[in-house]
Amino acid sequence: MVTINPSRCLIGEIVILVRFYKLVVLLVLISGCNDQRQSSSLNEVLDSGVLKVGTSYGLTTYYNGATGPVGFEYELAEGFAEYLGVKLEVFPYYTLNELFPQLQNQHLDLIAAGISVSPLRSKKFKFGPAYQRVSEKLVFKQGKVWPRDISSLNGNLVVTTGSSHSESLNNYQAQNEQLSWQETDEKDVEELLELVLSEELDYTIVDSNILALMRRRYPELAIGFSVSPEQDIAWAVNKEQDDSLLAAVIEYFGLIQSNGVLAALEDKYFGHLRQFNYVDTVEFIKAANHVLPEYKAWFQTYAGDLDWRLLAAMSYQESHWDPDAVSVTGVRGMMMLTLDTAKYLGIESRLDPEQSIKGGGAYLSDLLRRIPDRIEFPDRLWFAIAAYNVGLGHLEDARVLAERQGANPDMWVDVKIRLLQLRQKKYYKTTKYGYARGNEAVIYVDNIRRYYDTLVWLDEQQPETPPRAIQLEEASQAPLSESIE
């Protein structure tokens, strides 16, 4: 996948803002500092030309992808470094117990690791503005006895050492002396979830945003109950230092919140994962293991410059990889091409799987070329996929509505809201192409993004390791569709 750099939207403002912050630092030192000899934490970063950021390895924080470092926290930190006009140095750690002392000893400038602002942590660190909210979920394996509250736990519970989960359990223990659990530095949250799946562990606790990602891989992960109410996620800075760096963090988040960069990044990593459907996820993984191999070579051949797994994800959304699929509207085949589109692309038989995949790949590439050049990836890609479903005309109507309403017509996070408005008369009567089922296009893009994420993960597993067997157990103990907040 092509990554988006949040700082690109800020290039024109960096130089002015850095100069502004240098002036702010001087004012702080002159008027607000009790110890005149104390150096400014922000000036130290600016003078050294390096921002040292501590983080943890993980799906939502930082990891090395095929094209280099990626992750929600990494991209936020990269944007902040460019905002200050300095170089970013990332120091990833395997455990929070290793990470926190580095900030206390001033070996790091800040921590960007998706950490929650708990009462205990607030006594030790200062925190920037909240940019996400998550809740802690007690997780067990689908098909086991459903634990509905803390008193119904009957088995081994393990959480990571130094986590907010441990803090929450300590709070519970004050009212429930029988509560017991273990803490580990040897396993991270993802590994603990895998132990739950293999039935080596009965329960663990995980933040809702991480769980949303993991359930696309392991649909048997089930939620027992919320261990905590929603908590703020924020960056941490050293409590003993002055507030100049913290002030810069606050200003940075204020800027990326107002210009839409934060919303775009949040949508990139989490926007398509709000809803979870157990049956759909299980069926997709089964099909990926048993049906997709028959057509994989054609997806690879006809994807062109695109990732073949994206084209395969689109095909599953269109037809569930059924070459004989036919809809009530007359679209047919693996890629559900209309008759007019097939003629335009030179496709003779829409029901021939190879021709359909070839046509679908060519049509998506054609749509991408027709999206304005100024729109960057991945937004450009989501626009093209939406147009595949709803048409370029209706997509353009949604972009016009976004611009009229003061939103960004070049960002998917803003345009998808206006696609929903194309079903409302007060909006669509003002557009060129009129009414459209824009909500279906939004769902269409979200589903494809989820399928794509799962295919990437499946494809990246070790070749010698057979696909993980999916146990089709009845989902009577949990809703088939639910939202993770």
Side-chain angles (χ1 to χ4, degrees):
M1 282 291 291
V2 181
T3 60
I4 181 174
N5 188 334
S7 59
R8 289 177 182 172
C9 302
L10 310 176
I11 295 299
E13 300 163 282
I14 290 174
V15 175
I16 295 174
L17 287 168
V18 170
R19 291 173 180 169
F20 167 76
Y21 277 121
K22 287 184 177 179
L23 290 175
V24 170
V25 170
L26 290 174
L27 291 173
V28 170
L29 292 176
I30 292 172
S31 62
C33 184
N34 293 326
D35 183 358
Q36 295 297 319
R37 295 171 299 175
Q38 181 182 11
S39 62
S40 160
S41 56
L42 178 57
N43 255 351
E44 289 180 1
V45 172
L46 296 177
D47 291 342
S48 69
V50 175
L51 176 70
K52 298 178 181 179
V53 175
T55 190
S56 57
Y57 288 104
L59 286 172
T60 62
T61 50
Y62 171 92
Y63 62 96
N64 287 305
T67 58
V70 290
F72 180 61
E73 296 291 341
Y74 172 75
E75 292 202 39
L76 283 174
E78 184 181 41
F80 184 49
E82 291 200 30
Y83 172 72
L84 295 179
V86 299
K87 177 185 176 183
L88 173 67
E89 288 189 4
V90 177
F91 298 85
Y93 290 85
Y94 291 99
T95 68
L96 293 176
N97 274 0
E98 295 176 293
L99 182 58
F100 288 134
Q102 299 301 317
L103 181 61
Q104 292 173 315
N105 296 333
Q106 300 184 24
H107 296 156
L108 300 171
D109 297 312
L110 60 86
I111 290 176
I115 57 175
S116 56
V117 184
S118 67
L120 183 59
R121 288 173 178 170
S122 295
K123 294 179 180 179
K124 298 179 179 180
F125 308 101
K126 294 177 183 176
F127 286 90
Y131 52 91
Q132 273 191 316
R133 288 180 64 80
V134 300
S135 59
E136 299 171 343
K137 306 293 185 182
L138 188 287
V139 178
F140 69 107
K141 185 178 181 181
Q142 185 81 21
K144 299 295 183 179
V145 176
W146 187 356
R148 298 177 182 272
D149 54 45
I150 204 77
S151 63
S152 63
L153 298 182
N154 184 23
N156 297 323
L157 168 61
V158 179
V159 298
T160 54
T161 305
S163 65
S164 61
H165 311 147
S166 174
E167 187 176 335
S168 295
L169 289 171
N170 277 309
N171 292 334
Y172 271 109
Q173 196 173 48
Q175 288 81 35
N176 189 342
E177 295 182 358
Q178 303 303 315
L179 177 63
S180 64
W181 68 93
Q182 294 177 296
E183 299 183 14
T184 178
D185 259 340
E186 300 299 318
K187 305 285 185 183
D188 61 24
V189 170
E190 294 169 31
E191 291 175 294
L192 292 179
L193 289 172
E194 290 172 353
L195 290 177
V196 170
L197 289 165
S198 64
E199 301 186 21
E200 298 174 62
L201 181 63
D202 296 299
Y203 316 110
T204 190
I205 298 174
V206 61
D207 289 340
S208 55
N209 57 350
I210 298 175
L211 182 59
L213 289 169
M214 292 298 290
R215 292 178 95 186
R216 294 304 305 173
R217 302 177 175 186
Y218 301 119
E220 303 102 316
L221 293 173
I223 299 173
F225 56 90
S226 292
V227 176
S228 71
E230 284 193 336
Q231 298 175 319
D232 289 340
I233 299 295
W235 286 357
V237 298
N238 191 299
K239 198 167 188 176
E240 303 304 318
Q241 291 184 317
D242 74 294
D243 289 339
S244 58
L245 182 61
L246 179 61
V249 170
I250 293 171
E251 290 290 338
Y252 167 68
F253 275 98
L255 181 59
I256 64 174
Q257 185 174 34
S258 64
N259 67 14
V261 171
L262 178 59
L265 264 182
E266 208 275 343
D267 180 79
K268 173 184 174 180
Y269 282 94
F270 307 106
H272 57 300
L273 298 170
R274 300 302 184 201
Q275 300 295 322
F276 173 75
N277 186 298
Y278 172 79
V279 172
D280 176 71
T281 305
V282 168
E283 290 301 318
F284 175 72
I285 294 176
K286 281 180 59 183
N289 287 331
H290 302 296
V291 180
L292 178 58
E294 182 178 352
Y295 307 106
K296 179 179 177 179
W298 287 332
F299 287 120
Q300 292 173 322
T301 299
Y302 298 116
D305 294 332
L306 297 170
D307 189 328
W308 72 268
R309 296 165 296 192
L310 181 71
L311 190 62
M314 286 185 63
S315 179
Y316 186 83
Q317 171 64 25
E318 290 285 358
S319 66
H320 283 206
W321 297 322
D322 178 5
D324 299 319
V326 180
S327 81
V328 293
T329 59
V331 294
R332 294 185 170 194
M334 292 275 285
M335 299 300 297
M336 284 293 186
L337 301 174
T338 66
L339 185 58
D340 289 342
T341 300
K343 288 181 179 179
Y344 167 73
L345 296 169
I347 300 301
E348 296 180 0
S349 173
R350 290 179 289 167
L351 297 182
D352 178 272
E354 182 178 5
Q355 289 191 51
S356 183
I357 294 171
K358 178 182 179 181
Y363 186 44
L364 180 60
S365 296
D366 182 63
L367 290 170
L368 269 170
R369 286 192 293 269
R370 294 162 71 182
I371 300 295
D373 291 340
R374 68 177 179 273
I375 300 176
E376 299 180 349
F377 281 88
D379 300 75
R380 184 182 185 84
L381 186 57
W382 309 148
F383 283 162
I385 293 173
Y388 193 104
N389 175 264
V390 77
L392 272 172
H394 291 304
L395 176 68
E396 184 61 23
D397 281 347
R399 295 183 64 236
V400 169
L401 287 175
E403 189 169 30
R404 286 178 189 169
Q405 296 169 18
N408 191 333
D410 296 343
M411 296 180 71
W412 172 246
V413 68
D414 286 340
V415 173
K416 71 178 184 179
I417 295 173
R418 279 72 197 182
L419 279 169
L420 301 176
Q421 294 177 352
L422 293 180
R423 295 184 66 193
Q424 302 176 46
K425 188 174 182 179
K426 69 176 180 178
Y427 295 112
Y428 72 70
K429 71 179 182 180
T430 69
T431 63
K432 182 177 180 179
Y433 293 95
Y435 173 87
R437 296 193 299 271
N439 62 311
E440 294 181 6
V442 173
I443 294 171
Y444 180 84
V445 174
D446 283 350
N447 286 347
I448 289 169
R449 291 173 64 182
R450 285 193 290 268
Y451 296 143
Y452 172 75
D453 286 351
T454 304
L455 283 180
V456 169
W457 173 71
L458 289 171
D459 197 48
E460 289 176 350
Q461 301 305 294
Q462 294 296 326
E464 64 270 19
T465 303
R468 186 176 180 277
I470 301 298
Q471 300 177 356
L472 295 179
E473 303 177 28
E474 292 297 327
S476 58
Q477 293 178 308
L480 298 185
S481 181
E482 57 186 274
S483 176
I484 300 179
E485 297 297 343

